[in-house]
């Protein structure tokens, strides 16, 4: 292992774009299937991984939703979440904002309370035992109806103290941000912070980014790499200091082009670009692997790597005091 590898490993990190259901590793899938008396159509983890053949967002999402059928009881959600937090801590993630997809569970008969109490208990244990802090962001599935999203928002209200914000994910095609205008307005009124996915190279990517900024008023954008194609949007992102949570390994799977050059351009332009892992159990890389790949492609030095981490702590939904403490720890880091 080289010096840069060690430097990246030790960097104090912040993860802002991570779907907890996308951290379900094949081995845990088998364990949960056994616990719940379910038969999986694969002999072992290697055979399951070999079947992960996706080339775009739609083909990835099909496998992602099929995989989570093994998550049924509160302990399943606990185990999923604790395993991720342990992995993140081992890569020196100090703080993570974690997406979850409640409708992907309530839609198949698992209660909202089961999902969130399992996630929450794992967060508390991980903070106490491992020293990693985290927050939850509830995502709505954009290829389902706005009415179901609103019902989910209302269902979440008794757990409001456990959820920091809301997001929008799943299949973007023909599902623009404005479809959820009323849902996000209500979420804002309830005190939730707002983010939305603008996946890379979607039909109408630029219009969706514009809607996120002008019509929804998001606090940050998940992916959003296509912003570079439009100088006016770039100017808005810079002026409003809108962070972008980019996921390079994920991008190389679900688009047919790598986004490394774009990450370099965003850094050069002074945008709040951050590096994240999205669905690491499916794409084969957690946050350190994303940093390693980008460092290699762009030949980033220590200062630029620290800038990417600082961007994430700046973008995080933390109090000023907590953010400053993390930033000070990062500034002191020498590798
Ligand atoms: N759900 C899980 N991962 C996603 C992604 N990369 N884009 C949209 N929805 C998702
Ligand atoms: Zn995502």
């Amino acid at each position: 292992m080289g010096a840069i590898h060690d430097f990246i490993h030790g960097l104090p990190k912040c993860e802002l774009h991570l779907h907890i259901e996308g951290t379900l590793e094949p081995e845990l899938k088998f364990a949960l299937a056994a616990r719940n008396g379910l038969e999986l159509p694969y002999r072992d983890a290697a055979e399951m991984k070999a079947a992960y053949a996706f080339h775009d967002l739609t083909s990835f999402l099909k496998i992602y939703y099929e995989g989570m059928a093994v998550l049924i009881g509160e302990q399943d959600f606990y185990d999923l979440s604790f395993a991720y937090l342990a992995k993140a801590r081992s890569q020196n993630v100090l703080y993570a904002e974690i997406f979850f997809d409640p409708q992907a569970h309530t839609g198949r008969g698992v209660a909202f309370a089961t999902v969130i109490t399992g996630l929450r208990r794992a967060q508390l244990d991980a903070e106490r035992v491992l020293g990693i802090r985290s927050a939850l962001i509830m995502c709505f599935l954009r290829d389902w109806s706005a009415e179901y999203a609103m019902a989910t928002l209302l269902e979440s209200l008794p757990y409001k103290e456990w959820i920091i914000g809301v997001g929008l994910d799943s299949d973007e095609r023909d599902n623009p941000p404005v479809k959820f205008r009323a849902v996000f307005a209500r979420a804002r009124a309830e005190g939730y912070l707002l983010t939305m996915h603008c996946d890379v190279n979607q039909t109408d990517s630029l219009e969706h980014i514009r809607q996120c900024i002008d019509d929804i008023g998001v606090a940050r954008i998940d992916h959003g790499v296509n912003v570079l194609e439009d100088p006016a949007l770039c100017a808005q992102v810079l002026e409003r200091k809108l962070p972008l949570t980019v996921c390079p390994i994920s991008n190389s799977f679900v688009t047919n082009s790598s986004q490394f050059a774009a990450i370099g351009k965003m850094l050069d332009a002074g945008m709040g670009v951050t590096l994240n892992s999205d669905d690491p159990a499916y794409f084969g890389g957690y946050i350190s692997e994303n940093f390693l790949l980008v460092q290699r492609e762009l030949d980033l030095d220590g200062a630029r790597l620290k800038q990417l981490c600082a961007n994430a702590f700046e973008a995080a939904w933390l109090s000023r005091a907590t953010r400053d403490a993390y930033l000070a720890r990062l500034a002191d880091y020498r590798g």
Side-chain angles (χ1 to χ4, degrees):
M1 278 194 285
I4 198 72
H5 183 285
D6 292 346
F7 183 87
I8 286 173
H9 174 74
L11 265 173
K13 300 180 193 71
C14 171
E15 168 92 74
L16 299 178
H17 187 152
L18 181 283
H19 301 263
I20 199 64
E21 295 89 349
T23 70
L24 179 52
E25 293 284 354
E27 293 77 9
L28 183 57
K29 247 187 227 176
F30 275 99
L32 297 182
R35 177 187 286 169
N36 292 315
L38 299 170
E39 194 82 45
L40 295 175
Y42 309 102
R43 266 197 307 265
D44 53 29
E47 199 180 287
M48 181 184 286
K49 267 191 183 158
Y52 288 176
F54 25 77
H55 51 277
D56 60 12
L57 185 57
T58 309
S59 56
F60 160 68
L61 288 169
K62 182 170 182 299
I63 291 167
Y64 167 81
Y65 291 123
E66 275 169 13
M68 63 183 84
V70 298
L71 294 163
I72 294 176
E74 190 261 6
Q75 187 66 39
D76 302 342
F77 289 93
Y78 176 96
D79 290 344
L80 173 72
S81 201
F82 195 87
Y84 163 68
L85 288 163
K87 176 73 182 176
R89 186 68 195 89
S90 79
Q91 297 196 337
N92 288 304
V93 173
L94 304 183
Y95 174 69
E97 288 177 2
I98 298 175
F99 294 133
F100 71 114
D101 283 335
Q103 293 166 282
H105 312 301
T106 57
R108 55 189 177 82
V110 176
F112 188 98
T114 303
V115 178
I116 194 146
T117 53
L119 299 179
R120 173 73 180 172
R121 191 161 60 85
Q123 286 180 277
L124 294 178
D125 281 359
E127 182 163 354
R128 188 171 43 82
V129 178
L130 307 172
I132 177 170
R133 291 189 58 209
S134 59
L136 291 176
I137 301 175
M138 175 173 72
C139 282
F140 304 110
L141 302 185
R142 70 197 304 162
D143 43 354
W144 292 15
S145 72
E147 290 72 23
Y148 192 3
M150 185 64 97
T152 302
L153 176 65
L154 298 180
E155 203 174 2
S156 78
L157 294 180
Y159 306 96
K160 213 158 86 169
E161 299 310 313
W162 296 356
I163 302 170
I164 196 164
V166 296
L168 187 69
D169 64 2
S170 204
D171 211 338
E172 190 165 330
R173 194 188 175 93
D174 298 330
N175 295 298
V178 291
K179 173 176 166 186
F180 297 91
R181 194 196 294 265
V183 179
F184 276 69
R186 176 69 188 267
R188 185 198 299 280
E190 296 292 347
Y192 290 123
L193 298 168
L194 311 183
T195 186
M196 282 184 167
H197 276 57
C198 288
D199 265 277
V200 181
N201 296 348
Q202 298 294 298
T203 314
D204 301 327
S205 270
L206 291 178
E207 171 59 13
H208 290 185
I209 293 171
R210 190 202 63 71
Q211 289 181 11
C212 274
I213 299 173
D214 294 340
D215 300 327
I216 308 294
V218 294
R220 60 188 193 224
I221 297 177
D222 301 310
H223 299 296
V225 173
N226 292 91
V227 74
L228 288 173
E229 295 160 17
D230 185 320
L233 284 179
C234 282
Q236 269 187 305
V237 163
L238 280 167
E239 192 185 303
R240 297 181 192 217
K241 296 192 180 358
L242 262 186
L244 302 160
T245 65
V246 178
C247 309
I249 295 181
S250 161
N251 291 164
S252 61
F253 275 95
V254 299
T255 74
N256 55 12
S257 61
S258 87
Q259 302 300 324
F260 302 116
I263 290 166
K265 281 187 194 153
M266 290 189 275
L267 255 183
D268 288 343
M271 291 181 183
V273 57
T274 67
L275 298 188
N276 307 273
S277 45
D278 210 3
D279 301 288
Y282 291 92
F283 302 136
Y286 285 77
I287 196 165
S288 284
E289 288 77 24
N290 276 277
F291 269 83
L292 283 164
L293 203 62
V294 171
Q295 190 284 327
R296 202 180 66 201
E297 291 295 324
L298 299 179
D299 195 24
L300 299 180
D301 61 12
R304 308 265 280 171
L305 292 165
K306 283 171 81 166
Q307 183 65 53
L308 285 164
C309 292
N311 287 352
F313 285 116
E314 288 287 359
W317 292 335
L318 290 164
S319 69
R320 188 75 246 177
T322 308
R323 180 200 320 286
D324 285 349
Y326 285 132
L327 286 170
R329 191 158 157 188
L330 177 64
D332 286 345
Y333 179 69
R334 296 284 171 269

